[in-house]
């Protein structure tokens, strides 16, 4: 099993921890990662865009001029698509872009990204992460102490309001509980910061 050192919030080494090889030492499947990210982005789409077709645009009920004898092209309505103020051809309508993927594929993508993060040295494990009060200053100090120079994805075992509210005003940081971790955010943020309890929670939820 792969091992990684454990730090405290001051950035000091306080031991090491064994990581589960299923989560952190698996084969990297790039195609699975691509499919999952594409699915997540599709599910984020609102799908609320809408435009009117020629049948929905106001006006245009009367034929603008007679069919023959004017020397002009025949027209049936001034709300046809080629008229200014006319309807839109194949107008977009509200729709749901979301779809789902098999659970095994989603798990494979997660294993791939976590393995890649470990191989590239982008995982930091903390012995614990707790705040007595809401403090963005303390959250910034933690990131400085553990030498996070990229965007940080902070993962705790359970939802902790004090940790969440302390990190949420930091531009390059995001906080999540272990059960809500996802591939898109793992890729979007450079460094993954886990607590020891979060590592155990990941093993419980995703294995």
């Amino acid at each position: 099993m792969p091992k990684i050192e454990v730090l405290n919030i001051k950035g000091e080494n306080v031991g090491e921890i064994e990581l589960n090889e299923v989560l952190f030492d698996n084969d990297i499947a790039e195609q699975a990662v691509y499919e999952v990210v594409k699915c997540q982005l599709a599910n984020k789409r609102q799908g609320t865009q809408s435009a009117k077709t020629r049948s929905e645009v106001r006006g245009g009920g009367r034929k603008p001029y007679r069919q023959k004898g004017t020397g002009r092209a025949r027209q049936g309505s001034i709300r046809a698509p080629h008229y200014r103020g006319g309807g839109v051809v194949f107008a977009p309508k509200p729709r749901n872009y979301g779809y789902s993927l098999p659970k095994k594929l989603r798990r494979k993508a997660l294993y791939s990204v976590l393995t890649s993060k470990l191989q590239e040295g982008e995982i930091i494990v903390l012995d614990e992460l707790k705040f007595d009060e809401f403090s963005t200053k303390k959250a910034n100090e933690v990131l400085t102490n553990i030498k996070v120079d990229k965007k940080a994805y902070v993962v705790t075992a359970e939802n902790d309001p004090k940790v969440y509210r302390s990190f949420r005003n930091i531009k390059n940081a995001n906080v999540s509980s272990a059960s809500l971790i996802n591939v898109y955010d793992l890729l979007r943020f450079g460094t993954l910061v886990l607590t020891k309890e979060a590592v155990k929670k990941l093993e419980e939820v995703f294995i």
Side-chain angles (χ1 to χ4, degrees):
M1 287 188 176
K3 295 182 179 180
I4 189 171
E5 64 181 21
V6 179
L7 307 178
N8 59 21
I9 59 175
K10 296 181 180 179
E12 301 167 343
N13 189 340
V14 293
E16 64 178 18
I17 186 175
E18 284 189 349
L19 301 176
N20 192 293
E21 58 187 7
V22 175
L23 281 172
F24 297 95
D25 192 16
N26 215 311
D27 296 329
I28 297 177
E30 294 182 3
Q31 184 64 29
V33 175
Y34 165 75
E35 293 292 345
V36 170
V37 170
K38 186 173 73 169
C39 177
Q40 281 189 247
L41 291 176
N43 291 337
K44 283 176 177 286
R45 293 185 67 174
Q46 288 185 323
T48 56
Q49 73 276 38
S50 181
K52 292 181 178 181
T53 63
R54 62 183 294 172
S55 66
E56 297 168 319
V57 176
R58 180 180 175 87
R62 181 174 65 85
K63 190 175 176 65
Y65 47 83
R66 60 198 176 96
Q67 181 83 343
K68 292 179 176 292
T70 66
R72 303 172 65 186
R74 54 194 171 187
Q75 304 293 337
S77 170
I78 61 170
R79 291 296 178 254
H82 61 283
Y83 274 99
R84 183 182 180 198
V88 177
V89 181
F90 306 126
K93 294 296 179 183
R95 55 168 289 195
N96 180 15
Y97 289 91
Y99 63 97
S100 61
L101 292 174
K103 184 177 179 179
K104 286 185 177 180
L105 181 63
R106 288 184 275 120
R107 290 280 173 94
K108 185 63 178 176
L110 180 63
Y111 299 161
S112 298
V113 175
L114 290 175
T115 299
S116 176
K117 288 281 185 188
L118 183 63
Q119 291 177 356
E120 295 174 10
E122 294 183 340
I123 293 181
I124 296 174
V125 178
L126 299 177
D127 58 345
E128 64 175 3
L129 182 60
K130 293 181 179 178
F131 294 140
D132 297 328
E133 58 184 356
F134 308 121
S135 175
T136 301
K137 180 180 179 180
K138 289 184 178 179
N140 264 316
E141 288 176 356
V142 171
L143 295 179
T144 301
N145 292 339
I146 61 178
K147 299 179 181 178
V148 174
D149 55 355
K150 299 179 180 180
K151 292 182 178 180
Y153 190 33
V154 181
V155 179
T156 56
E158 303 293 342
N159 182 33
D160 187 332
K162 290 182 179 178
V163 172
Y164 171 74
R165 291 181 62 180
S166 296
F167 279 96
R168 71 177 178 178
N169 285 331
I170 301 176
K171 182 179 179 181
N172 293 326
N174 189 33
V175 182
S176 173
S177 60
S179 59
L180 297 178
I181 197 171
N182 66 85
V183 171
Y184 177 64
D185 284 338
L186 283 170
L187 293 174
R188 196 159 59 97
F189 293 89
T191 303
L192 174 61
V193 181
L194 295 162
T195 63
K196 287 176 67 176
E197 292 299 319
V199 173
K200 295 178 182 178
K201 188 70 175 180
L202 285 175
E203 294 174 1
E204 294 175 5
V205 174
F206 295 107
I207 296 180

